Amino acid sequence: MLIPLDKIIVDKDLPNPKNLPNHRPLPRGSRIPRDPVVVNEGEMFLLLAGAKKVNIAKESGELNIECLVRKTVTYQEKWELRLAEEYHSSLVTPMQLGKSFMKYRDTFGITQQELARRTNITPGTIHHYESLIRTLAPELGEKVNSGELTFKEARSIADIDDHVRQKEIAAPFIKGTLSSVHVERIVGLAKSSPELSVFQIIEEVI
C-alpha cells in the first residue's frame, strides 16, 4: 500500500542512530533496506520496521512509499519485528543484539530455529550473536562494543572454551597487528593444538 511519508510516525522502540556516540551505522556489511512495515493507527501509520528505507525516501524528496500494512500486531510480533530491525539497521552493537536475541527467546521459550523462522534471520547468525554473550570473555565483549574487536573476530574467538586462551588469541587482533582475514584459521589451529603458543600459531598461519 502506498503511504504518504508525512503520515508515518516512528515507533519509539526502533533503533535510532542518535543513540550511538558516533551517529553512524556499525560496519556490519551492506544490506538491502527492509520494506517498511506499518500498523494503522487512525489517520497515522506507526512504523514498526524499515526505518532505513523510509529515511532514504525522505532524503530523496519522495512524498509516498510502498509499505506492508498490518491491521493489528501482537506484543510478540512487535518484538520480532524490532529484533529484525535491530539486525538489519546495523545501529545496534553485536553485544546488544546477542542480549536481545537471548532475552526474547527466554521470554517466549522458543529455539534459535523458531526465532530464525519468525525473523528471517538465519539460525547460524542468531547462534553467533548469542555466543558473544554465552561464551566470550566479558573483557573481550567490551572490546567488541568499543570497536577494537570486530564481530567476525569475536564470534570466531568465542568458539574457544578457555577465556584466558581467548584473550591471548584476541590480543594481536585488538592491537591491529593481525587482520580478521586470518582469524578463523588461527582459532581453528588454537582449538586443535592447545599446546601451541599464540606466536607459534601465527607463525604457522601467516
Side-chain angles (χ1 to χ4, degrees):
M1 180 177 177
L2 203 60
I3 305 291
L5 283 166
D6 61 1
K7 293 292 185 181
I8 296 176
I9 54 177
V10 180
D11 186 343
K12 61 180 177 59
D13 291 328
L14 285 183
N16 188 334
K18 293 181 180 179
N19 294 335
L20 288 180
N22 57 10
H23 291 201
R24 288 181 291 128
L26 297 172
R28 201 177 298 155
S30 57
R31 296 185 179 139
I32 298 173
R34 305 181 70 215
D35 289 335
V37 179
V38 298
V39 62
N40 198 328
E41 294 201 340
E43 296 182 356
M44 304 299 288
F45 295 85
L46 181 66
L47 181 68
L48 301 177
K52 185 179 291 187
K53 204 161 189 176
V54 168
N55 290 337
I56 291 173
K58 287 180 178 179
E59 291 171 359
S60 300
E62 297 181 29
L63 299 178
N64 305 293
I65 190 169
E66 193 70 33
C67 297
L68 175 61
V69 180
R70 298 272 189 95
K71 289 185 178 180
T72 59
V73 61
T74 66
Y75 173 71
Q76 184 173 356
E77 289 171 336
K78 185 177 179 181
W79 197 340
E80 290 160 2
L81 285 166
R82 188 172 75 244
L83 287 176
E85 185 73 357
E86 287 179 350
Y87 171 72
H88 285 281
S89 70
S90 300
L91 289 173
V92 176
T93 68
M95 302 302 294
Q96 288 175 296
L97 193 52
K99 290 177 182 178
S100 294
F101 286 149
M102 290 175 59
K103 183 177 181 181
Y104 170 89
R105 293 204 308 109
D106 289 344
T107 299
F108 296 104
I110 68 171
T111 63
Q112 292 177 344
Q113 289 73 19
E114 178 63 13
L115 175 57
R117 186 187 69 79
R118 290 170 175 266
T119 58
N120 287 322
I121 301 171
T122 67
T125 297
I126 293 170
H127 167 75
H128 285 317
Y129 280 100
E130 290 192 3
S131 71
L132 300 184
I133 310 302
R134 296 187 189 280
T135 60
L136 189 67
E139 299 94 321
L140 297 183
E142 295 175 5
K143 298 298 183 182
V144 176
N145 280 335
S146 67
E148 296 172 79
L149 196 65
T150 69
F151 170 67
K152 178 181 178 180
E153 293 162 354
R155 71 170 175 78
S156 296
I157 292 169
D159 283 341
I160 299 172
D161 294 330
D162 180 47
H163 281 186
V164 173
R165 185 69 158 169
Q166 284 184 6
K167 286 183 278 189
E168 290 174 351
I169 297 297
F173 294 101
I174 294 171
K175 293 177 182 177
T177 56
L178 268 184
S179 165
S180 60
V181 171
H182 304 293
V183 67
E184 292 176 353
R185 290 183 61 201
I186 285 177
V187 168
L189 188 55
K191 291 170 64 177
S192 64
S193 304
E195 75 283 358
L196 294 180
S197 69
V198 175
F199 176 78
Q200 290 172 313
I201 291 171
I202 294 173
E203 286 288 297
E204 178 73 21
V205 170
I206 304 301

mmCIF file of all heavy atoms in Angstrom, residues 77-103:
data_model
loop_
_atom_site.group_PDB
_atom_site.id
_atom_site.type_symbol
_atom_site.label_atom_id
_atom_site.label_comp_id
_atom_site.label_asym_id
_atom_site.label_seq_id
_atom_site.Cartn_x
_atom_site.Cartn_y
_atom_site.Cartn_z
ATOM 1 N N GLU A 77 4.786 -10.275 18.138
ATOM 2 C CA GLU A 77 5.105 -9.943 16.753
ATOM 3 C C GLU A 77 5.860 -8.618 16.667
ATOM 4 O O GLU A 77 6.783 -8.467 15.870
ATOM 5 C CB GLU A 77 3.828 -9.858 15.922
ATOM 6 C CG GLU A 77 3.172 -11.204 15.668
ATOM 7 C CD GLU A 77 1.801 -11.085 15.045
ATOM 8 O OE1 GLU A 77 1.163 -10.018 15.215
ATOM 9 O OE2 GLU A 77 1.349 -12.029 14.395
ATOM 10 N N LYS A 78 5.457 -7.670 17.493
ATOM 11 C CA LYS A 78 6.149 -6.374 17.506
ATOM 12 C C LYS A 78 7.602 -6.549 17.953
ATOM 13 O O LYS A 78 8.518 -5.927 17.393
ATOM 14 C CB LYS A 78 5.426 -5.399 18.438
ATOM 15 C CG LYS A 78 5.999 -3.998 18.434
ATOM 16 C CD LYS A 78 5.181 -3.070 19.319
ATOM 17 C CE LYS A 78 5.778 -1.670 19.331
ATOM 18 N NZ LYS A 78 5.002 -0.743 20.201
ATOM 19 N N TRP A 79 7.817 -7.401 18.933
ATOM 20 C CA TRP A 79 9.174 -7.678 19.419
ATOM 21 C C TRP A 79 10.005 -8.322 18.321
ATOM 22 O O TRP A 79 11.168 -7.987 18.105
ATOM 23 C CB TRP A 79 9.103 -8.583 20.642
ATOM 24 C CG TRP A 79 10.351 -8.623 21.476
ATOM 25 C CD1 TRP A 79 11.612 -8.267 21.090
ATOM 26 C CD2 TRP A 79 10.463 -9.047 22.845
ATOM 27 N NE1 TRP A 79 12.513 -8.451 22.123
ATOM 28 C CE2 TRP A 79 11.827 -8.921 23.208
ATOM 29 C CE3 TRP A 79 9.561 -9.516 23.772
ATOM 30 C CZ2 TRP A 79 12.295 -9.269 24.474
ATOM 31 C CZ3 TRP A 79 10.022 -9.858 25.033
ATOM 32 C CH2 TRP A 79 11.371 -9.736 25.384
ATOM 33 N N GLU A 80 9.404 -9.255 17.585
ATOM 34 C CA GLU A 80 10.113 -9.924 16.492
ATOM 35 C C GLU A 80 10.493 -8.941 15.381
ATOM 36 O O GLU A 80 11.601 -8.993 14.841
ATOM 37 C CB GLU A 80 9.225 -11.039 15.930
ATOM 38 C CG GLU A 80 9.057 -12.206 16.888
ATOM 39 C CD GLU A 80 7.842 -13.058 16.590
ATOM 40 O OE1 GLU A 80 7.128 -12.761 15.596
ATOM 41 O OE2 GLU A 80 7.601 -14.025 17.339
ATOM 42 N N LEU A 81 9.590 -8.043 15.061
ATOM 43 C CA LEU A 81 9.888 -7.020 14.059
ATOM 44 C C LEU A 81 11.023 -6.121 14.527
ATOM 45 O O LEU A 81 11.886 -5.722 13.748
ATOM 46 C CB LEU A 81 8.638 -6.184 13.768
ATOM 47 C CG LEU A 81 7.558 -6.860 12.917
ATOM 48 C CD1 LEU A 81 6.252 -6.077 13.001
ATOM 49 C CD2 LEU A 81 8.020 -6.975 11.467
ATOM 50 N N ARG A 82 11.029 -5.814 15.818
ATOM 51 C CA ARG A 82 12.085 -4.956 16.363
ATOM 52 C C ARG A 82 13.442 -5.659 16.320
ATOM 53 O O ARG A 82 14.460 -5.039 16.014
ATOM 54 C CB ARG A 82 11.754 -4.537 17.793
ATOM 55 C CG ARG A 82 12.732 -3.490 18.347
ATOM 56 C CD ARG A 82 12.280 -2.934 19.676
ATOM 57 N NE ARG A 82 12.498 -3.874 20.760
ATOM 58 C CZ ARG A 82 11.533 -4.415 21.482
ATOM 59 N NH1 ARG A 82 10.273 -4.127 21.229
ATOM 60 N NH2 ARG A 82 11.806 -5.262 22.459
ATOM 61 N N LEU A 83 13.461 -6.968 16.614
ATOM 62 C CA LEU A 83 14.716 -7.725 16.538
ATOM 63 C C LEU A 83 15.268 -7.724 15.116
ATOM 64 O O LEU A 83 16.465 -7.507 14.905
ATOM 65 C CB LEU A 83 14.485 -9.167 16.997
ATOM 66 C CG LEU A 83 14.289 -9.407 18.492
ATOM 67 C CD1 LEU A 83 13.970 -10.866 18.744
ATOM 68 C CD2 LEU A 83 15.516 -8.986 19.283
ATOM 69 N N ALA A 84 14.394 -7.965 14.152
ATOM 70 C CA ALA A 84 14.833 -7.958 12.753
ATOM 71 C C ALA A 84 15.323 -6.577 12.353
ATOM 72 O O ALA A 84 16.308 -6.442 11.617
ATOM 73 C CB ALA A 84 13.682 -8.404 11.845
ATOM 74 N N GLU A 85 14.660 -5.550 12.847
ATOM 75 C CA GLU A 85 15.067 -4.179 12.532
ATOM 76 C C GLU A 85 16.417 -3.861 13.152
ATOM 77 O O GLU A 85 17.268 -3.219 12.532
ATOM 78 C CB GLU A 85 14.007 -3.190 13.036
ATOM 79 C CG GLU A 85 14.268 -1.748 12.665
ATOM 80 C CD GLU A 85 14.021 -1.434 11.196
ATOM 81 O OE1 GLU A 85 13.687 -2.358 10.417
ATOM 82 O OE2 GLU A 85 14.154 -0.268 10.825
ATOM 83 N N GLU A 86 16.646 -4.315 14.378
ATOM 84 C CA GLU A 86 17.934 -4.094 15.032
ATOM 85 C C GLU A 86 19.062 -4.746 14.230
ATOM 86 O O GLU A 86 20.139 -4.177 14.067
ATOM 87 C CB GLU A 86 17.911 -4.662 16.459
ATOM 88 C CG GLU A 86 17.077 -3.842 17.430
ATOM 89 C CD GLU A 86 17.051 -4.443 18.830
ATOM 90 O OE1 GLU A 86 17.519 -5.596 18.986
ATOM 91 O OE2 GLU A 86 16.553 -3.790 19.744
ATOM 92 N N TYR A 87 18.796 -5.944 13.736
ATOM 93 C CA TYR A 87 19.813 -6.647 12.950
ATOM 94 C C TYR A 87 20.068 -5.947 11.619
ATOM 95 O O TYR A 87 21.213 -5.688 11.249
ATOM 96 C CB TYR A 87 19.367 -8.090 12.703
ATOM 97 C CG TYR A 87 20.247 -8.834 11.730
ATOM 98 C CD1 TYR A 87 21.532 -9.230 12.089
ATOM 99 C CD2 TYR A 87 19.803 -9.120 10.443
ATOM 100 C CE1 TYR A 87 22.355 -9.908 11.197
ATOM 101 C CE2 TYR A 87 20.622 -9.792 9.545
ATOM 102 C CZ TYR A 87 21.889 -10.180 9.923
ATOM 103 O OH TYR A 87 22.700 -10.837 9.037
ATOM 104 N N HIS A 88 19.019 -5.615 10.886
ATOM 105 C CA HIS A 88 19.178 -5.051 9.551
ATOM 106 C C HIS A 88 19.618 -3.582 9.570
ATOM 107 O O HIS A 88 20.217 -3.112 8.608
ATOM 108 C CB HIS A 88 17.870 -5.175 8.766
ATOM 109 C CG HIS A 88 17.599 -6.567 8.296
ATOM 110 N ND1 HIS A 88 18.208 -7.113 7.196
ATOM 111 C CD2 HIS A 88 16.793 -7.544 8.804
ATOM 112 C CE1 HIS A 88 17.798 -8.359 7.030
ATOM 113 N NE2 HIS A 88 16.941 -8.647 7.983
ATOM 114 N N SER A 89 19.323 -2.876 10.646
ATOM 115 C CA SER A 89 19.667 -1.447 10.692
ATOM 116 C C SER A 89 21.152 -1.215 10.891
ATOM 117 O O SER A 89 21.673 -0.156 10.540
ATOM 118 C CB SER A 89 18.900 -0.756 11.832
ATOM 119 O OG SER A 89 19.387 -1.185 13.093
ATOM 120 N N SER A 90 21.862 -2.206 11.475
ATOM 121 C CA SER A 90 23.283 -2.046 11.817
ATOM 122 C C SER A 90 23.522 -0.887 12.780
ATOM 123 O O SER A 90 24.594 -0.296 12.805
ATOM 124 C CB SER A 90 24.134 -1.860 10.545
ATOM 125 O OG SER A 90 24.016 -2.965 9.693
ATOM 126 N N LEU A 91 22.517 -0.559 13.580
ATOM 127 C CA LEU A 91 22.653 0.530 14.540
ATOM 128 C C LEU A 91 22.773 0.027 15.985
ATOM 129 O O LEU A 91 22.894 0.814 16.903
ATOM 130 C CB LEU A 91 21.454 1.485 14.437
ATOM 131 C CG LEU A 91 21.398 2.341 13.175
ATOM 132 C CD1 LEU A 91 20.093 3.115 13.111
ATOM 133 C CD2 LEU A 91 22.571 3.303 13.118
ATOM 134 N N VAL A 92 22.744 -1.299 16.153
ATOM 135 C CA VAL A 92 22.849 -1.890 17.476
ATOM 136 C C VAL A 92 24.138 -2.695 17.538
ATOM 137 O O VAL A 92 24.467 -3.420 16.602
ATOM 138 C CB VAL A 92 21.632 -2.799 17.769
ATOM 139 C CG1 VAL A 92 21.788 -3.501 19.101
ATOM 140 C CG2 VAL A 92 20.349 -1.978 17.749
ATOM 141 N N THR A 93 24.890 -2.574 18.617
ATOM 142 C CA THR A 93 26.147 -3.293 18.720
ATOM 143 C C THR A 93 25.909 -4.806 18.743
ATOM 144 O O THR A 93 24.834 -5.263 19.163
ATOM 145 C CB THR A 93 26.919 -2.909 19.999
ATOM 146 O OG1 THR A 93 26.206 -3.392 21.145
ATOM 147 C CG2 THR A 93 27.112 -1.407 20.091
ATOM 148 N N PRO A 94 26.875 -5.602 18.296
ATOM 149 C CA PRO A 94 26.714 -7.062 18.325
ATOM 150 C C PRO A 94 26.385 -7.595 19.716
ATOM 151 O O PRO A 94 25.590 -8.531 19.847
ATOM 152 C CB PRO A 94 28.071 -7.569 17.843
ATOM 153 C CG PRO A 94 28.580 -6.486 16.948
ATOM 154 C CD PRO A 94 28.126 -5.210 17.611
ATOM 155 N N MET A 95 26.984 -7.023 20.758
ATOM 156 C CA MET A 95 26.709 -7.494 22.117
ATOM 157 C C MET A 95 25.261 -7.194 22.501
ATOM 158 O O MET A 95 24.585 -8.034 23.111
ATOM 159 C CB MET A 95 27.674 -6.832 23.108
ATOM 160 C CG MET A 95 29.147 -7.076 22.825
ATOM 161 S SD MET A 95 29.592 -8.835 22.807
ATOM 162 C CE MET A 95 29.319 -9.264 24.528
ATOM 163 N N GLN A 96 24.764 -6.023 22.154
ATOM 164 C CA GLN A 96 23.372 -5.683 22.440
ATOM 165 C C GLN A 96 22.426 -6.620 21.704
ATOM 166 O O GLN A 96 21.409 -7.055 22.247
ATOM 167 C CB GLN A 96 23.081 -4.238 22.033
ATOM 168 C CG GLN A 96 23.709 -3.185 22.924
ATOM 169 C CD GLN A 96 23.467 -1.784 22.379
ATOM 170 O OE1 GLN A 96 23.925 -1.429 21.297
ATOM 171 N NE2 GLN A 96 22.733 -0.986 23.128
ATOM 172 N N LEU A 97 22.769 -6.912 20.451
ATOM 173 C CA LEU A 97 21.917 -7.774 19.643
ATOM 174 C C LEU A 97 21.877 -9.189 20.210
ATOM 175 O O LEU A 97 20.807 -9.818 20.264
ATOM 176 C CB LEU A 97 22.420 -7.782 18.200
ATOM 177 C CG LEU A 97 21.488 -8.365 17.139
ATOM 178 C CD1 LEU A 97 20.103 -7.742 17.207
ATOM 179 C CD2 LEU A 97 22.085 -8.160 15.751
ATOM 180 N N GLY A 98 23.023 -9.698 20.638
ATOM 181 C CA GLY A 98 23.059 -11.019 21.255
ATOM 182 C C GLY A 98 22.175 -11.082 22.490
ATOM 183 O O GLY A 98 21.439 -12.057 22.699
ATOM 184 N N LYS A 99 22.231 -10.043 23.315
ATOM 185 C CA LYS A 99 21.386 -9.988 24.516
ATOM 186 C C LYS A 99 19.912 -9.920 24.150
ATOM 187 O O LYS A 99 19.062 -10.533 24.810
ATOM 188 C CB LYS A 99 21.774 -8.775 25.373
ATOM 189 C CG LYS A 99 23.122 -8.901 26.050
ATOM 190 C CD LYS A 99 23.474 -7.634 26.827
ATOM 191 C CE LYS A 99 24.844 -7.744 27.468
ATOM 192 N NZ LYS A 99 25.222 -6.488 28.189
ATOM 193 N N SER A 100 19.596 -9.178 23.090
ATOM 194 C CA SER A 100 18.203 -9.046 22.658
ATOM 195 C C SER A 100 17.647 -10.385 22.189
ATOM 196 O O SER A 100 16.507 -10.741 22.521
ATOM 197 C CB SER A 100 18.093 -8.018 21.527
ATOM 198 O OG SER A 100 18.411 -6.720 21.977
ATOM 199 N N PHE A 101 18.439 -11.122 21.411
ATOM 200 C CA PHE A 101 18.001 -12.444 20.954
ATOM 201 C C PHE A 101 17.730 -13.364 22.142
ATOM 202 O O PHE A 101 16.705 -14.054 22.197
ATOM 203 C CB PHE A 101 19.063 -13.085 20.058
ATOM 204 C CG PHE A 101 19.160 -12.499 18.677
ATOM 205 C CD1 PHE A 101 20.374 -12.480 17.999
ATOM 206 C CD2 PHE A 101 18.046 -11.972 18.046
ATOM 207 C CE1 PHE A 101 20.473 -11.963 16.716
ATOM 208 C CE2 PHE A 101 18.141 -11.437 16.759
ATOM 209 C CZ PHE A 101 19.361 -11.433 16.099
ATOM 210 N N MET A 102 18.651 -13.381 23.101
ATOM 211 C CA MET A 102 18.521 -14.268 24.249
ATOM 212 C C MET A 102 17.335 -13.884 25.124
ATOM 213 O O MET A 102 16.603 -14.754 25.609
ATOM 214 C CB MET A 102 19.818 -14.265 25.065
ATOM 215 C CG MET A 102 20.980 -14.944 24.357
ATOM 216 S SD MET A 102 22.546 -14.804 25.263
ATOM 217 C CE MET A 102 22.126 -15.598 26.806
ATOM 218 N N LYS A 103 17.135 -12.593 25.332
ATOM 219 C CA LYS A 103 16.020 -12.134 26.169
ATOM 220 C C LYS A 103 14.693 -12.526 25.550
ATOM 221 O O LYS A 103 13.779 -12.988 26.240
ATOM 222 C CB LYS A 103 16.096 -10.612 26.352
ATOM 223 C CG LYS A 103 15.009 -10.060 27.276
ATOM 224 C CD LYS A 103 15.182 -8.564 27.488
ATOM 225 C CE LYS A 103 14.104 -8.031 28.420
ATOM 226 N NZ LYS A 103 14.240 -6.561 28.631
#
